[in-house]
Amino acid sequence: MKGHAMKRIVFIVVLALIAGSWGGNLWVYYNSQLPEPVFFKHYIEVENSPGYSFDLNYLENKSAKVKIQSIRIPELPNATVTPILVQNSYVHQNQGTMRTQIMDYDLLQPTFPEDGPLVIHRVEAVFDDNSTKELEIGEIRVYNDLLKGDSPIQSTSGGSSSENAGYTRVKFTKDTVITEISSAYLPGLGDRLTVILEAPSIKHLEQSEIQFGSETTHSGVPLSQIPFPLKFKKGDTASVTYKFDPLQNADAMAKSEVYRFLLRMELQLDNGKKAAYPIFVQSDPYLSQREVAAIVKSRRSGS
């Protein structure tokens, strides 16, 4: 009788352990799931011109019953979207990308405000059950006048590195004055972004250096110290180099920020006409599993 009772107790204990383990696994699984897909926070500037493109990155649960298949951007009827549904894979989530490209002028065109760029904060996510939902994506600024006028600049070389650095080298085809180099996102970046300009007329000023890759160093004058306006003769060259510094002590959502914007080089020609030349700047995050888990936790807590 005692042996029978002991077996019953052992059986109950084993059942309790199994139930506890199952319940624990269920709790861990539940807390590892996003309430809904989440787009990274983007800071994007593009021109409304064929060939301009940008990526919108998002996180989505692997086990989601319905998944994002594409997106619509109603404000950009002349854009096409190419979904890359699995860009990176994590334990419980996938990172997808919606590659968006501005298409021909023959298509229906966006409606632009009179006093500035078209600013977009949301997209319409289209799921595989044909349902839709608006999701925040940060900000896209679309310009309609960036390259109006004949640009007196030719790009001669350029490149980028995996360390969120890049450079553009240009040659002037006419006598030109650069009156400003700016972007809507420069003020918010502060010391996190370093931009330097190398040009013949400012070689006498104090130079800063940016390490570009393992073997190359670029020198130039920091953007904040350039004495605009700067004059250039036909045949002169110049180069702009940028580098993003890693975020320190930032939360995971901040580390997921995507920057794809234009340093706008404002130009004044001898004939009085104005033009602009865009320099592309980008910083793409690569999130660790720990950072993805932190984003999930943040979204689940509603913060």
Side-chain angles (χ1 to χ4, degrees):
M1 219 29 208
K2 288 182 179 180
H4 194 71
M6 183 59 69
K7 288 181 180 179
R8 185 177 180 184
I9 291 171
V10 171
F11 180 71
I12 292 172
V13 169
V14 170
L15 283 179
L17 290 173
I18 292 173
S21 175
W22 182 82
N25 289 338
L26 186 61
W27 183 87
V28 169
Y29 171 79
Y30 177 78
N31 283 280
S32 67
Q33 301 297 295
L34 285 165
E36 65 178 9
V38 56
F39 276 86
F40 295 1
K41 193 168 187 179
H42 300 80
Y43 297 91
I44 294 172
E45 289 179 313
V46 294
E47 185 201 354
N48 182 44
S49 179
Y52 275 74
S53 65
F54 54 89
D55 288 352
L56 295 174
N57 301 324
Y58 65 96
L59 288 173
E60 182 177 54
N61 295 329
K62 286 182 175 180
S63 60
K65 291 183 179 179
V66 292
K67 296 183 178 181
I68 296 178
Q69 288 301 295
S70 189
I71 60 169
R72 299 188 191 116
I73 309 177
E75 298 91 339
L76 288 179
N78 58 335
T80 62
V81 176
T82 302
I84 304 173
L85 300 181
V86 183
Q87 184 83 27
N88 292 308
S89 182
Y90 299 94
V91 175
H92 296 285
Q93 280 77 36
N94 284 326
Q95 176 192 323
T97 296
M98 294 295 163
R99 186 151 292 164
T100 306
Q101 184 169 5
I102 308 295
M103 301 302 289
D104 293 341
Y105 289 119
D106 291 341
L107 299 176
L108 184 64
Q109 292 297 300
T111 301
F112 286 88
E114 292 183 2
D115 58 348
L118 173 64
V119 181
I120 302 166
H121 293 111
R122 300 171 192 85
V123 298
E124 193 176 84
V126 182
F127 294 85
D128 53 16
D129 65 351
N130 292 321
S131 63
T132 62
K133 184 170 185 177
E134 279 196 346
L135 296 176
E136 301 279 344
I137 49 85
E139 184 173 278
I140 305 168
R141 300 173 71 88
V142 186
Y143 296 92
N144 200 35
D145 64 345
L146 187 61
L147 295 181
K148 282 186 177 177
D150 297 325
S151 176
I153 289 181
Q154 292 179 345
S155 176
T156 60
S157 63
S160 60
S161 78
S162 59
E163 298 173 339
N164 289 322
Y167 79 95
T168 298
R169 189 161 187 83
V170 299
K171 182 178 181 179
F172 293 84
T173 59
K174 300 176 183 178
D175 291 356
T176 309
V177 175
I178 299 180
T179 59
E180 185 182 15
I181 299 176
S182 64
S183 164
Y185 299 124
L186 281 179
L189 284 166
D191 295 337
R192 187 184 166 195
L193 176 67
T194 300
V195 179
I196 59 174
L197 172 67
E198 179 275 320
S201 62
I202 53 175
K203 283 189 176 295
H204 63 286
L205 299 178
E206 185 175 350
Q207 307 283 303
S208 293
E209 293 185 345
I210 290 179
Q211 190 69 31
F212 192 84
S214 59
E215 299 178 354
T216 306
T217 300
H218 290 218
S219 299
V221 177
L223 187 58
S224 61
Q225 299 174 28
I226 297 172
F228 293 114
L230 286 182
K231 294 182 178 180
F232 292 83
K233 295 291 186 181
K234 180 180 178 180
D236 282 350
T237 60
S239 64
V240 174
T241 306
Y242 71 85
K243 185 172 184 179
F244 283 84
D245 292 326
L247 279 173
Q248 302 295 334
N249 303 318
D251 62 32
M253 279 305 295
K255 289 184 178 180
S256 75
E257 291 175 348
V258 179
Y259 289 91
R260 297 175 183 272
F261 62 86
L262 305 174
L263 285 176
R264 180 181 172 124
M265 188 180 285
E266 302 283 356
L267 307 170
Q268 180 78 48
L269 282 65
D270 277 352
N271 59 10
K273 292 185 177 180
K274 294 182 179 180
Y277 185 83
I279 297 170
F280 294 88
V281 173
Q282 71 178 65
S283 174
D284 295 302
Y286 181 81
L287 299 179
S288 67
Q289 176 59 47
R290 178 177 294 183
E291 288 163 345
V292 170
I295 289 174
V296 173
K297 183 178 179 180
S298 173
R299 303 299 287 195
R300 291 194 64 82
S301 66
S303 58

CSV table of all heavy atoms in Angstrom, one decimal, residues 91-144:
chain,number,residue,atom,x,y,z
A,91,VAL,N,16.1,34.4,-33.7
A,91,VAL,CA,15.5,33.2,-33.1
A,91,VAL,C,14.0,33.2,-33.3
A,91,VAL,O,13.4,32.2,-33.8
A,91,VAL,CB,15.8,33.1,-31.6
A,91,VAL,CG1,15.1,32.0,-30.9
A,91,VAL,CG2,17.3,33.0,-31.4
A,92,HIS,N,13.3,34.3,-33.0
A,92,HIS,CA,11.9,34.3,-33.1
A,92,HIS,C,11.4,35.3,-34.2
A,92,HIS,O,10.2,35.3,-34.5
A,92,HIS,CB,11.3,34.8,-31.8
A,92,HIS,CG,11.5,33.8,-30.7
A,92,HIS,ND1,10.9,32.6,-30.6
A,92,HIS,CD2,12.4,33.8,-29.6
A,92,HIS,CE1,11.3,31.9,-29.5
A,92,HIS,NE2,12.2,32.7,-28.9
A,93,GLN,N,12.2,36.1,-34.7
A,93,GLN,CA,11.8,37.1,-35.7
A,93,GLN,C,12.7,37.1,-37.0
A,93,GLN,O,13.8,36.6,-37.0
A,93,GLN,CB,12.0,38.6,-35.2
A,93,GLN,CG,10.8,39.0,-34.3
A,93,GLN,CD,10.9,38.4,-32.9
A,93,GLN,OE1,12.0,38.3,-32.3
A,93,GLN,NE2,9.8,38.1,-32.3
A,94,ASN,N,12.1,37.6,-38.1
A,94,ASN,CA,12.8,37.8,-39.3
A,94,ASN,C,12.9,39.3,-39.6
A,94,ASN,O,11.9,40.0,-39.2
A,94,ASN,CB,12.2,37.2,-40.5
A,94,ASN,CG,12.4,35.7,-40.6
A,94,ASN,OD1,13.5,35.2,-40.2
A,94,ASN,ND2,11.5,34.9,-41.1
A,95,GLN,N,14.0,39.8,-40.1
A,95,GLN,CA,14.1,41.2,-40.6
A,95,GLN,C,13.8,41.2,-42.1
A,95,GLN,O,14.5,40.5,-42.8
A,95,GLN,CB,15.4,41.8,-40.3
A,95,GLN,CG,15.5,43.2,-40.9
A,95,GLN,CD,17.0,43.7,-40.9
A,95,GLN,OE1,17.7,43.5,-39.9
A,95,GLN,NE2,17.3,44.5,-41.9
A,96,GLY,N,12.8,41.9,-42.5
A,96,GLY,CA,12.4,42.0,-43.9
A,96,GLY,C,12.8,43.4,-44.4
A,96,GLY,O,13.0,44.3,-43.6
A,97,THR,N,12.8,43.6,-45.7
A,97,THR,CA,13.1,44.8,-46.4
A,97,THR,C,12.1,45.1,-47.5
A,97,THR,O,11.8,44.2,-48.3
A,97,THR,CB,14.5,44.9,-46.9
A,97,THR,OG1,15.4,44.7,-45.8
A,97,THR,CG2,14.8,46.2,-47.7
A,98,MET,N,11.6,46.3,-47.6
A,98,MET,CA,10.8,46.7,-48.7
A,98,MET,C,11.6,47.7,-49.5
A,98,MET,O,11.8,48.8,-49.1
A,98,MET,CB,9.4,47.3,-48.2
A,98,MET,CG,8.5,46.4,-47.5
A,98,MET,SD,7.9,45.1,-48.6
A,98,MET,CE,7.4,43.8,-47.4
A,99,ARG,N,12.1,47.2,-50.6
A,99,ARG,CA,12.9,48.0,-51.5
A,99,ARG,C,12.0,48.9,-52.4
A,99,ARG,O,11.3,48.3,-53.2
A,99,ARG,CB,13.9,47.2,-52.3
A,99,ARG,CG,14.9,47.9,-53.1
A,99,ARG,CD,16.2,47.1,-53.3
A,99,ARG,NE,16.9,46.9,-52.0
A,99,ARG,CZ,17.8,46.0,-51.8
A,99,ARG,NH1,18.1,45.1,-52.8
A,99,ARG,NH2,18.4,45.9,-50.7
A,100,THR,N,12.2,50.2,-52.3
A,100,THR,CA,11.2,51.1,-53.0
A,100,THR,C,12.0,52.0,-54.0
A,100,THR,O,13.1,52.5,-53.6
A,100,THR,CB,10.5,52.0,-52.0
A,100,THR,OG1,9.9,51.2,-51.0
A,100,THR,CG2,9.5,52.9,-52.6
A,101,GLN,N,11.5,52.1,-55.2
A,101,GLN,CA,12.2,52.8,-56.3
A,101,GLN,C,11.2,53.8,-56.9
A,101,GLN,O,10.1,53.4,-57.3
A,101,GLN,CB,12.8,51.8,-57.3
A,101,GLN,CG,13.6,52.6,-58.4
A,101,GLN,CD,14.4,51.6,-59.2
A,101,GLN,OE1,14.3,50.4,-59.1
A,101,GLN,NE2,15.2,52.1,-60.1
A,102,ILE,N,11.7,55.0,-57.1
A,102,ILE,CA,11.0,56.0,-57.9
A,102,ILE,C,11.1,55.7,-59.3
A,102,ILE,O,12.1,55.4,-59.9
A,102,ILE,CB,11.5,57.4,-57.6
A,102,ILE,CG1,11.6,57.7,-56.1
A,102,ILE,CG2,10.7,58.5,-58.3
A,102,ILE,CD1,10.3,57.8,-55.4
A,103,MET,N,9.9,55.7,-60.0
A,103,MET,CA,9.9,55.3,-61.4
A,103,MET,C,9.6,56.5,-62.4
A,103,MET,O,9.7,57.6,-62.0
A,103,MET,CB,8.8,54.2,-61.6
A,103,MET,CG,8.9,53.0,-60.7
A,103,MET,SD,10.5,52.1,-61.0
A,103,MET,CE,10.2,51.4,-62.6
A,104,ASP,N,9.3,56.2,-63.6
A,104,ASP,CA,9.3,57.2,-64.7
A,104,ASP,C,8.3,58.3,-64.4
A,104,ASP,O,7.3,58.2,-63.7
A,104,ASP,CB,8.8,56.5,-66.0
A,104,ASP,CG,9.9,55.5,-66.5
A,104,ASP,OD1,11.0,55.6,-66.1
A,104,ASP,OD2,9.5,54.7,-67.3
A,105,TYR,N,8.6,59.4,-65.0
A,105,TYR,CA,7.8,60.6,-64.9
A,105,TYR,C,6.4,60.4,-65.6
A,105,TYR,O,5.5,61.2,-65.4
A,105,TYR,CB,8.5,61.8,-65.6
A,105,TYR,CG,9.6,62.4,-64.8
A,105,TYR,CD1,10.9,62.4,-65.3
A,105,TYR,CD2,9.4,62.8,-63.5
A,105,TYR,CE1,12.0,62.9,-64.5
A,105,TYR,CE2,10.5,63.3,-62.7
A,105,TYR,CZ,11.8,63.3,-63.3
A,105,TYR,OH,12.8,63.8,-62.5
A,106,ASP,N,6.3,59.4,-66.5
A,106,ASP,CA,5.1,59.2,-67.2
A,106,ASP,C,4.0,58.7,-66.3
A,106,ASP,O,2.8,58.8,-66.6
A,106,ASP,CB,5.3,58.1,-68.3
A,106,ASP,CG,6.1,58.6,-69.4
A,106,ASP,OD1,6.2,59.9,-69.5
A,106,ASP,OD2,6.7,57.8,-70.2
A,107,LEU,N,4.4,58.2,-65.1
A,107,LEU,CA,3.4,57.7,-64.1
A,107,LEU,C,2.7,58.9,-63.4
A,107,LEU,O,3.2,60.0,-63.4
A,107,LEU,CB,4.0,56.7,-63.1
A,107,LEU,CG,4.7,55.5,-63.7
A,107,LEU,CD1,5.4,54.7,-62.7
A,107,LEU,CD2,3.6,54.6,-64.4
A,108,LEU,N,1.6,58.6,-62.7
A,108,LEU,CA,1.0,59.6,-61.8
A,108,LEU,C,2.0,60.1,-60.8
A,108,LEU,O,2.7,59.3,-60.2
A,108,LEU,CB,-0.2,58.9,-61.1
A,108,LEU,CG,-1.0,59.9,-60.3
A,108,LEU,CD1,-1.7,60.9,-61.1
A,108,LEU,CD2,-2.1,59.0,-59.5
A,109,GLN,N,2.1,61.4,-60.7
A,109,GLN,CA,3.1,62.0,-59.8
A,109,GLN,C,2.5,62.4,-58.4
A,109,GLN,O,1.3,62.6,-58.3
A,109,GLN,CB,3.6,63.3,-60.5
A,109,GLN,CG,4.4,63.0,-61.8
A,109,GLN,CD,5.7,62.2,-61.4
A,109,GLN,OE1,6.5,62.6,-60.7
A,109,GLN,NE2,5.8,61.0,-62.0
A,110,PRO,N,3.4,62.5,-57.4
A,110,PRO,CA,3.0,62.9,-56.1
A,110,PRO,C,2.5,64.3,-56.1
A,110,PRO,O,2.8,65.1,-57.0
A,110,PRO,CB,4.3,62.7,-55.3
A,110,PRO,CG,5.2,61.9,-56.1
A,110,PRO,CD,4.9,62.1,-57.5
A,111,THR,N,1.7,64.6,-55.1
A,111,THR,CA,1.3,66.0,-54.8
A,111,THR,C,2.2,66.6,-53.8
A,111,THR,O,2.3,66.2,-52.7
A,111,THR,CB,-0.2,66.0,-54.3
A,111,THR,OG1,-1.0,65.4,-55.3
A,111,THR,CG2,-0.6,67.5,-54.1
A,112,PHE,N,2.9,67.7,-54.2
A,112,PHE,CA,3.9,68.3,-53.3
A,112,PHE,C,3.4,69.6,-52.7
A,112,PHE,O,2.6,70.3,-53.3
A,112,PHE,CB,5.2,68.6,-54.1
A,112,PHE,CG,6.0,67.4,-54.5
A,112,PHE,CD1,5.8,66.7,-55.6
A,112,PHE,CD2,7.0,67.0,-53.6
A,112,PHE,CE1,6.5,65.6,-56.0
A,112,PHE,CE2,7.8,65.9,-54.0
A,112,PHE,CZ,7.5,65.2,-55.1
A,113,PRO,N,3.7,69.8,-51.4
A,113,PRO,CA,3.4,71.1,-50.8
A,113,PRO,C,4.1,72.2,-51.5
A,113,PRO,O,5.1,72.0,-52.1
A,113,PRO,CB,3.9,70.9,-49.3
A,113,PRO,CG,4.3,69.5,-49.2
A,113,PRO,CD,4.5,68.9,-50.5
A,114,GLU,N,3.5,73.4,-51.4
A,114,GLU,CA,4.2,74.6,-52.0
A,114,GLU,C,5.4,75.0,-51.3
A,114,GLU,O,6.3,75.6,-52.0
A,114,GLU,CB,3.2,75.7,-52.0
A,114,GLU,CG,2.0,75.5,-52.9
A,114,GLU,CD,1.0,76.7,-53.0
A,114,GLU,OE1,1.4,77.7,-52.4
A,114,GLU,OE2,0.0,76.6,-53.7
A,115,ASP,N,5.6,74.8,-50.0
A,115,ASP,CA,6.6,75.4,-49.3
A,115,ASP,C,7.7,74.4,-48.8
A,115,ASP,O,8.4,74.7,-47.9
A,115,ASP,CB,6.1,76.1,-48.0
A,115,ASP,CG,5.3,75.2,-47.1
A,115,ASP,OD1,5.0,74.0,-47.6
A,115,ASP,OD2,4.9,75.6,-46.0
A,116,GLY,N,7.8,73.2,-49.4
A,116,GLY,CA,8.8,72.2,-48.9
A,116,GLY,C,8.6,70.9,-49.5
A,116,GLY,O,7.8,70.6,-50.4
A,117,PRO,N,9.4,69.9,-49.0
A,117,PRO,CA,9.3,68.5,-49.5
A,117,PRO,C,8.0,67.8,-49.1
A,117,PRO,O,7.4,68.2,-48.1
A,117,PRO,CB,10.5,67.9,-48.9
A,117,PRO,CG,10.8,68.6,-47.6
A,117,PRO,CD,10.4,70.0,-47.9
A,118,LEU,N,7.7,66.7,-49.7
A,118,LEU,CA,6.7,65.8,-49.3
A,118,LEU,C,7.2,65.0,-48.2
A,118,LEU,O,8.3,64.4,-48.3
A,118,LEU,CB,6.3,65.0,-50.5
A,118,LEU,CG,5.3,63.8,-50.2
A,118,LEU,CD1,3.9,64.4,-49.8
A,118,LEU,CD2,5.1,63.0,-51.5
A,119,VAL,N,6.5,65.0,-47.0
A,119,VAL,CA,7.0,64.2,-45.8
A,119,VAL,C,6.0,63.1,-45.5
A,119,VAL,O,4.8,63.3,-45.4
A,119,VAL,CB,7.1,65.2,-44.6
A,119,VAL,CG1,7.7,64.4,-43.4
A,119,VAL,CG2,8.1,66.3,-45.0
A,120,ILE,N,6.6,61.9,-45.4
A,120,ILE,CA,5.8,60.7,-45.2
A,120,ILE,C,6.2,60.0,-43.9
A,120,ILE,O,7.4,59.8,-43.7
A,120,ILE,CB,5.9,59.7,-46.4
A,120,ILE,CG1,5.5,60.4,-47.7
A,120,ILE,CG2,5.1,58.4,-46.2
A,120,ILE,CD1,6.0,59.7,-49.0
A,121,HIS,N,5.2,59.7,-43.1
A,121,HIS,CA,5.5,59.0,-41.8
A,121,HIS,C,5.0,57.6,-41.7
A,121,HIS,O,5.4,56.9,-40.8
A,121,HIS,CB,5.0,59.8,-40.6
A,121,HIS,CG,5.7,61.2,-40.5
A,121,HIS,ND1,5.1,62.4,-40.7
A,121,HIS,CD2,7.0,61.5,-40.1
A,121,HIS,CE1,5.9,63.4,-40.5
A,121,HIS,NE2,7.1,62.8,-40.2
A,122,ARG,N,4.1,57.2,-42.6
A,122,ARG,CA,3.5,55.9,-42.4
A,122,ARG,C,3.4,55.2,-43.8
A,122,ARG,O,3.3,55.9,-44.8
A,122,ARG,CB,2.1,56.0,-41.9
A,122,ARG,CG,2.0,56.6,-40.5
A,122,ARG,CD,0.5,56.9,-40.1
A,122,ARG,NE,0.5,57.7,-38.9
A,122,ARG,CZ,0.6,59.0,-38.9
A,122,ARG,NH1,0.7,59.7,-40.0
A,122,ARG,NH2,0.6,59.7,-37.7
A,123,VAL,N,3.3,53.9,-43.8
A,123,VAL,CA,3.1,53.1,-45.0
A,123,VAL,C,1.9,52.2,-44.7
A,123,VAL,O,1.6,51.9,-43.5
A,123,VAL,CB,4.3,52.3,-45.5
A,123,VAL,CG1,5.4,53.2,-45.8
A,123,VAL,CG2,4.7,51.3,-44.4
A,124,GLU,N,1.3,51.7,-45.7
A,124,GLU,CA,0.2,50.7,-45.6
A,124,GLU,C,0.8,49.3,-45.8
A,124,GLU,O,1.1,49.0,-47.0
A,124,GLU,CB,-0.9,51.1,-46.7
A,124,GLU,CG,-2.2,50.3,-46.4
A,124,GLU,CD,-3.2,50.8,-47.5
A,124,GLU,OE1,-3.2,50.2,-48.6
A,124,GLU,OE2,-4.0,51.7,-47.1
A,125,ALA,N,0.9,48.6,-44.8
A,125,ALA,CA,1.4,47.2,-44.9
A,125,ALA,C,0.3,46.3,-45.4
A,125,ALA,O,-0.9,46.4,-45.0
A,125,ALA,CB,1.8,46.7,-43.5
A,126,VAL,N,0.6,45.5,-46.4
A,126,VAL,CA,-0.3,44.5,-47.0
A,126,VAL,C,0.0,43.1,-46.6
A,126,VAL,O,1.2,42.7,-46.9
A,126,VAL,CB,-0.3,44.7,-48.6
A,126,VAL,CG1,-1.4,43.7,-49.2
A,126,VAL,CG2,-0.6,46.1,-49.0
A,127,PHE,N,-0.9,42.4,-45.9
A,127,PHE,CA,-0.6,41.1,-45.4
A,127,PHE,C,-1.1,40.0,-46.4
A,127,PHE,O,-1.8,40.3,-47.3
A,127,PHE,CB,-1.3,40.9,-44.0
A,127,PHE,CG,-0.7,41.8,-43.0
A,127,PHE,CD1,-1.1,43.1,-42.8
A,127,PHE,CD2,0.3,41.4,-42.1
A,127,PHE,CE1,-0.6,44.0,-41.9
A,127,PHE,CE2,0.9,42.2,-41.2
A,127,PHE,CZ,0.4,43.5,-41.0
A,128,ASP,N,-0.6,38.8,-46.1
A,128,ASP,CA,-0.9,37.7,-47.1
A,128,ASP,C,-2.3,37.2,-47.0
A,128,ASP,O,-2.7,36.4,-47.8
A,128,ASP,CB,0.1,36.5,-46.9
A,128,ASP,CG,0.2,36.0,-45.5
A,128,ASP,OD1,-0.7,36.3,-44.7
A,128,ASP,OD2,1.1,35.3,-45.2
A,129,ASP,N,-3.2,37.8,-46.1
A,129,ASP,CA,-4.6,37.5,-46.1
A,129,ASP,C,-5.4,38.6,-46.7
A,129,ASP,O,-6.6,38.7,-46.6
A,129,ASP,CB,-5.1,37.2,-44.7
A,129,ASP,CG,-5.0,38.3,-43.8
A,129,ASP,OD1,-4.4,39.4,-44.2
A,129,ASP,OD2,-5.5,38.3,-42.7
A,130,ASN,N,-4.6,39.6,-47.4
A,130,ASN,CA,-5.2,40.7,-48.1
A,130,ASN,C,-5.6,41.8,-47.1
A,130,ASN,O,-6.2,42.8,-47.5
A,130,ASN,CB,-6.3,40.4,-49.0
A,130,ASN,CG,-5.8,39.6,-50.2
A,130,ASN,OD1,-4.8,39.8,-50.7
A,130,ASN,ND2,-6.6,38.5,-50.6
A,131,SER,N,-5.4,41.7,-45.8
A,131,SER,CA,-5.7,42.7,-44.9
A,131,SER,C,-4.6,43.8,-44.9
A,131,SER,O,-3.5,43.5,-45.4
A,131,SER,CB,-5.8,42.2,-43.4
A,131,SER,OG,-4.6,41.6,-43.0
A,132,THR,N,-4.9,45.0,-44.5
A,132,THR,CA,-3.9,46.1,-44.5
A,132,THR,C,-3.9,46.8,-43.2
A,132,THR,O,-4.9,46.8,-42.4
A,132,THR,CB,-4.2,47.1,-45.6
A,132,THR,OG1,-5.5,47.7,-45.3
A,132,THR,CG2,-4.2,46.4,-47.0
A,133,LYS,N,-2.8,47.5,-42.9
A,133,LYS,CA,-2.7,48.2,-41.6
A,133,LYS,C,-1.6,49.3,-41.8
A,133,LYS,O,-0.5,49.0,-42.4
A,133,LYS,CB,-2.3,47.4,-40.4
A,133,LYS,CG,-2.3,48.2,-39.1
A,133,LYS,CD,-2.2,47.3,-37.9
A,133,LYS,CE,-2.3,48.1,-36.6
A,133,LYS,NZ,-2.3,47.3,-35.4
A,134,GLU,N,-1.9,50.5,-41.4
A,134,GLU,CA,-0.9,51.6,-41.4
A,134,GLU,C,0.1,51.4,-40.3
A,134,GLU,O,-0.2,51.1,-39.1
A,134,GLU,CB,-1.5,53.0,-41.2
A,134,GLU,CG,-2.1,53.5,-42.5
A,134,GLU,CD,-2.4,55.0,-42.4
A,134,GLU,OE1,-2.4,55.5,-41.3
A,134,GLU,OE2,-2.6,55.6,-43.4
A,135,LEU,N,1.4,51.5,-40.6
A,135,LEU,CA,2.5,51.3,-39.7
A,135,LEU,C,3.5,52.5,-39.8
A,135,LEU,O,3.7,53.0,-40.9
A,135,LEU,CB,3.3,50.0,-39.9
A,135,LEU,CG,2.5,48.7,-39.7
A,135,LEU,CD1,3.3,47.5,-40.1
A,135,LEU,CD2,2.0,48.6,-38.3
A,136,GLU,N,4.0,52.9,-38.6
A,136,GLU,CA,5.0,54.0,-38.6
A,136,GLU,C,6.3,53.5,-39.2
A,136,GLU,O,6.7,52.4,-38.9
A,136,GLU,CB,5.2,54.5,-37.2
A,136,GLU,CG,3.9,55.0,-36.5
A,136,GLU,CD,3.6,56.4,-36.8
A,136,GLU,OE1,4.5,57.1,-37.4
A,136,GLU,OE2,2.4,56.9,-36.6
A,137,ILE,N,7.0,54.4,-39.9
A,137,ILE,CA,8.3,54.0,-40.5
A,137,ILE,C,9.4,55.1,-40.2
A,137,ILE,O,10.5,54.9,-40.7
A,137,ILE,CB,8.2,53.8,-42.0
A,137,ILE,CG1,7.4,55.0,-42.8
A,137,ILE,CG2,7.4,52.5,-42.3
A,137,ILE,CD1,8.3,56.1,-43.1
A,138,GLY,N,9.0,56.1,-39.4
A,138,GLY,CA,10.0,57.2,-39.2
A,138,GLY,C,9.6,58.3,-40.1
A,138,GLY,O,8.5,58.9,-40.0
A,139,GLU,N,10.5,58.6,-41.1
A,139,GLU,CA,10.2,59.8,-42.0
A,139,GLU,C,10.9,59.6,-43.3
A,139,GLU,O,12.1,59.3,-43.4
A,139,GLU,CB,10.7,61.1,-41.3
A,139,GLU,CG,10.4,62.3,-42.1
A,139,GLU,CD,10.7,63.6,-41.3
A,139,GLU,OE1,9.9,64.0,-40.5
A,139,GLU,OE2,11.8,64.2,-41.5
A,140,ILE,N,10.2,59.9,-44.4
A,140,ILE,CA,10.7,60.0,-45.7
A,140,ILE,C,10.4,61.4,-46.2
A,140,ILE,O,9.3,61.9,-46.2
A,140,ILE,CB,10.0,59.0,-46.7
A,140,ILE,CG1,10.1,57.5,-46.1
A,140,ILE,CG2,10.7,59.0,-48.1
A,140,ILE,CD1,9.2,56.6,-46.9
A,141,ARG,N,11.5,62.1,-46.7
A,141,ARG,CA,11.3,63.4,-47.3
A,141,ARG,C,11.6,63.3,-48.8
A,141,ARG,O,12.8,63.0,-49.1
A,141,ARG,CB,12.3,64.4,-46.6
A,141,ARG,CG,12.0,64.5,-45.1
A,141,ARG,CD,13.0,65.4,-44.4
A,141,ARG,NE,12.9,66.8,-44.7
A,141,ARG,CZ,12.1,67.7,-44.0
A,141,ARG,NH1,11.4,67.2,-43.0
A,141,ARG,NH2,12.1,68.9,-44.4
A,142,VAL,N,10.7,63.7,-49.6
A,142,VAL,CA,10.8,63.6,-51.0
A,142,VAL,C,10.8,65.0,-51.6
A,142,VAL,O,9.9,65.8,-51.4
A,142,VAL,CB,9.6,62.8,-51.7
A,142,VAL,CG1,9.9,62.6,-53.2
A,142,VAL,CG2,9.4,61.5,-51.0
A,143,TYR,N,11.9,65.3,-52.3
A,143,TYR,CA,12.1,66.6,-52.9
A,143,TYR,C,11.8,66.7,-54.4
A,143,TYR,O,12.0,65.7,-55.1
A,143,TYR,CB,13.6,67.1,-52.7
A,143,TYR,CG,14.0,67.2,-51.3
A,143,TYR,CD1,14.6,66.2,-50.6
A,143,TYR,CD2,13.8,68.4,-50.6
A,143,TYR,CE1,15.0,66.3,-49.3
A,143,TYR,CE2,14.2,68.6,-49.3
A,143,TYR,CZ,14.8,67.5,-48.6
A,143,TYR,OH,15.1,67.7,-47.3
A,144,ASN,N,11.2,67.8,-54.8
A,144,ASN,CA,10.8,67.9,-56.2
A,144,ASN,C,11.6,68.8,-57.0
A,144,ASN,O,11.4,69.0,-58.1
A,144,ASN,CB,9.3,68.3,-56.2
A,144,ASN,CG,8.7,68.0,-57.6
A,144,ASN,OD1,8.9,67.0,-58.2
A,144,ASN,ND2,7.8,68.9,-58.0
